[in-house]
Amino acid sequence: MPAYRRFRDRIRIGPVEVATYYDGRGRDKHAAACTAPGCGFSADYTDRSAAELAARTHRCKA
């Protein structure tokens, strides 16, 4: 069964969205995901600053 995640503190940096969520153990995690069609970039981080840095330096190949 897939995990249900409620995202909060969402921001958009170019085509990438950065959001904060709680993992299954109640810890804060941060996700960066590209919304461009066909890109497929997404990553989870323990640091908000790391997720924002990934969003700022992401270059879409799509």
Side-chain angles (χ1 to χ4, degrees):
M1 186 156 106
Y4 174 73
R5 294 193 173 103
R6 177 176 285 174
F7 294 101
R8 62 187 198 282
D9 297 331
R10 290 175 39 190
I11 63 166
R12 189 175 186 99
I13 301 172
V16 181
E17 284 195 20
V18 177
T20 303
Y21 67 95
Y22 292 117
D23 68 354
R25 298 180 181 216
R27 297 175 295 205
D28 273 344
K29 294 286 185 172
H30 309 279
C34 186
T35 58
C39 180
F41 167 77
S42 68
D44 293 329
Y45 299 94
T46 56
D47 249 347
R48 176 77 182 203
S49 59
E52 289 183 11
L53 179 65
R56 291 188 203 312
T57 59
H58 172 68
R59 298 291 174 244
C60 256
K61 294 182 179 158

